[in-house]
Amino acid sequence: MEQNYDICVIGLGYVGLPLAVALSKKYYVSGIDTDANRISCLENGIDNTNEFEPHEIENALKSGLKLSSIYLRRDKPTVFIVTVPTPVSEEKLPDLQIMHSACSSIGQLIKKGDIVVFESTVYPGATREEFIPIIENVSHLIGGKDFYFGYSPERINPSDKLHKIQNIVKVVSGCSPRSLAVISEIYSKIVEAGIYQAESVEVAEAAKVIENTQRDINIAFMNEVSLILHALNINTKQVLKAASTKWNFLQFNPGLVGGHCIGVDPYYIIHKSKEHGYYPALISTGRKTNESMGNFVVLQLLKCAEIKNISLQNKPVLILGATFKPDCPDLRNSKVEEICDELNKVNVKTFIFDPVAYERKLGKHTINNKLTAALDTFSAVILAVPHLRLVEFVDEEFSNGKHAKIFFDLYSACRCNNHFEL
């Protein structure tokens, strides 16, 4: 059924690269990323997302994976798989510019009989309403007749060594029975966990966007519980430990919600809901709660400093960790930036130390990969992202309150005594 397709994976980040590597074991695969530096690094075996070791990249290149920063026309029937970012704007509205650009490029290359599969997270209806018309206008072909399309939501969890592409059930959809069959067969070659065929493209789109929205709401509830319990001077961790003894209590914890999925995807469903006259109060409130947690940390730090009669203006605050999640180099939508911004507003200087982050800037703030100052020179320390290396560092350097009069371990990740946790 699948015929002899070539595969073109567009976007080689956390989602596209693992997909391209896996598919290259079964197909001729070309990987496209408009970031020429990304292509250069990969060609030298360097993956700055830390998903692959150098030898794994080298083996994929030897097995037939071809990389390029420009789109190349292919003579054989081709399946284009789009895995580019779909962020939100400063106004928290869907930003589809990168996707639109990718669709325009596909429109210049696509031939009759080709297939386009979108994996990037979008709102229900985006594939049919936004993306296919662009390809049609550029190519002068008709989607569903001259070429085919589908949607198969990505479920990659960055830096997760357990849940890899091969052992995560793959949801697929197509615009026709034939396209659904082809798309299913292609993914089945690399996904051992199985294929789930959604009834429509829109069902698959909606399934993806609510997966992360559900998690966002659950974390928001725990964050609100944390806010309440802090006001009541009750330890949140102890309360959750007691509550979790009930068999059906859901295991979620408070925390800073950032990244390119959980902190973004709810805005897509909020936007689409509003377009159709419905205001999603619960989802919107959950987002508001999670967006407020960086400011809450700063307020608690200022409160703690006042109680201890410590001036935060005299020495900088040490921020340990800058990425959006532990042991992941990705900085997108990190709440650490907000913490630093809020501290700077009240004339508190910050020093960010993160040995994992693959970039050295977080907004206007510099990220240091080495700790160049003595620990006693900091007025306070915040373990904001519990990278394993940072947890080990803290356990060694800050045991029994050594070095820091104010120490915040936001996730209770360390053995040492701490003054504050979410």
Side-chain angles (χ1 to χ4, degrees):
M1 172 64 73
E2 74 184 89
Q3 298 181 18
N4 189 20
Y5 284 96
D6 282 352
I7 308 293
C8 179
V9 178
I10 300 170
L12 296 176
Y14 285 99
V15 177
L17 182 61
L19 185 63
V21 169
L23 286 169
S24 68
K25 299 174 183 178
K26 304 292 183 179
Y27 298 91
Y28 179 94
V29 178
S30 56
I32 309 296
D33 197 299
T34 55
D35 183 349
N37 183 62
R38 172 70 167 159
I39 296 298
S40 177
C41 287
L42 290 175
E43 288 178 334
N44 287 284
I46 301 171
D47 172 25
N48 59 19
T49 67
N50 292 345
E51 293 296 311
F52 292 97
E53 297 296 328
H55 74 274
E56 294 176 297
I57 301 295
E58 292 167 4
N59 289 340
L61 294 174
K62 290 178 182 178
S63 69
L65 174 61
K66 303 299 181 183
L67 304 176
S68 178
S69 59
I70 59 174
Y71 289 80
L72 302 174
R73 184 175 298 278
R74 304 215 54 80
D75 295 327
K76 289 178 61 176
T78 303
V79 176
F80 298 90
I81 303 179
V82 187
T83 66
V84 301
T86 48
V88 292
S89 66
E90 291 185 3
E91 295 76 25
K92 306 301 182 184
L93 296 172
D95 181 354
L96 298 174
Q97 294 182 67
I98 302 174
M99 182 67 86
H100 287 169
S101 177
C103 289
S104 295
S105 296
I106 291 171
Q108 298 174 32
L109 305 176
I110 199 166
K111 310 176 299 296
K112 287 188 176 182
D114 286 353
I115 299 174
V116 186
V117 182
F118 298 93
E119 288 210 3
S120 308
T121 305
V122 294
Y123 50 76
T127 297
R128 208 180 298 268
E129 298 166 7
E130 287 276 344
F131 310 142
I132 297 307
I134 295 174
I135 297 173
E136 290 176 327
N137 290 337
V138 176
S139 67
H140 304 295
L141 299 176
I142 300 174
K145 180 182 177 182
D146 298 322
F147 70 91
Y148 304 93
F149 60 91
Y151 182 83
S152 180
E154 60 88 3
R155 284 175 162 174
I156 294 292
N157 186 24
S159 302
D160 188 335
K161 302 305 180 183
L162 178 62
H163 300 97
K164 309 297 285 186
I165 189 170
Q166 64 268 21
N167 52 27
I168 304 173
V169 173
K170 190 65 169 158
V171 175
V172 299
S173 64
C175 66
S176 67
R178 180 183 179 278
S179 61
L180 178 61
V182 173
I183 294 168
S184 298
E185 192 165 354
I186 288 173
Y187 280 116
S188 69
K189 296 289 183 67
I190 61 171
V191 179
E192 299 171 4
I195 304 297
Y196 180 89
Q197 295 184 336
E199 289 78 2
S200 69
V201 169
E202 288 74 19
V203 166
E205 290 170 324
K208 169 56 182 175
V209 77
I210 71 163
E211 289 174 14
N212 288 332
T213 301
Q214 180 190 64
R215 185 165 176 80
D216 191 49
I217 291 172
N218 283 325
I219 297 173
F221 171 65
M222 289 303 173
N223 278 336
E224 186 159 71
V225 166
S226 177
L227 296 174
I228 295 169
L229 294 177
H230 273 95
L232 299 176
N233 198 29
I234 300 174
N235 185 281
T236 303
K237 185 178 180 180
Q238 293 173 0
V239 171
L240 295 181
K241 185 177 180 180
S244 66
T245 58
K246 188 179 181 186
W247 73 93
N248 60 354
F249 185 80
L250 300 179
Q251 298 292 331
F252 287 91
N253 294 293
L256 303 176
V257 181
H260 50 90
C261 291
I262 300 176
V264 171
D265 295 354
Y267 290 117
Y268 274 74
I269 196 67
I270 290 171
H271 167 76
K272 194 62 175 178
S273 298
K274 289 180 178 179
E275 278 192 344
H276 287 259
Y278 178 78
Y279 180 78
L282 179 61
I283 298 173
S284 300
T285 301
R287 272 286 73 226
K288 184 177 180 180
T289 298
N290 286 341
E291 291 282 10
S292 72
M293 294 306 291
N295 185 58
F296 173 67
V297 170
V298 171
L299 291 176
Q300 293 301 310
L301 178 63
L302 298 175
K303 179 180 177 181
C304 183
E306 183 178 2
I307 292 173
K308 291 177 174 291
N309 196 29
I310 295 174
S311 173
L312 298 178
Q313 274 77 34
N314 294 334
K315 301 177 181 179
V317 172
L318 174 61
I319 310 291
L320 297 175
T323 63
F324 84 87
K325 65 180 291 189
D327 299 312
C328 173
D330 198 340
L331 293 163
R332 282 178 288 180
N333 198 28
S334 170
K335 295 291 107 177
V336 175
E337 180 180 3
E338 179 184 334
I339 290 174
C340 293
D341 285 342
E342 293 301 314
L343 285 172
N344 291 170
K345 287 179 183 177
V346 291
N347 298 318
V348 177
K349 295 182 179 180
T350 55
F351 183 96
I352 305 174
F353 171 47
D354 193 318
V356 174
Y358 64 76
E359 294 179 3
R360 295 296 108 198
K361 295 294 290 185
L362 181 63
K364 63 183 180 181
H365 308 283
T366 298
I367 300 173
N368 302 275
N369 58 5
K370 293 183 179 180
L371 194 54
T372 56
L375 295 175
D376 290 331
T377 63
F378 299 102
S379 60
V381 178
I382 300 176
L383 178 59
V385 188
H387 300 313
L388 178 60
R389 292 163 65 179
L390 290 180
V391 171
E392 292 173 347
F393 169 76
V394 167
D395 283 338
E396 180 180 349
E397 296 292 343
F398 294 95
S399 58
N400 301 318
K402 183 174 61 176
H403 294 311
K405 295 180 180 178
I406 300 178
F407 183 79
F408 278 20
D409 178 1
L410 299 186
Y411 294 92
S412 303
C414 303
R415 295 192 306 268
C416 59
N417 296 325
N418 58 73
H419 299 287
F420 178 85
E421 60 192 36
L422 286 175

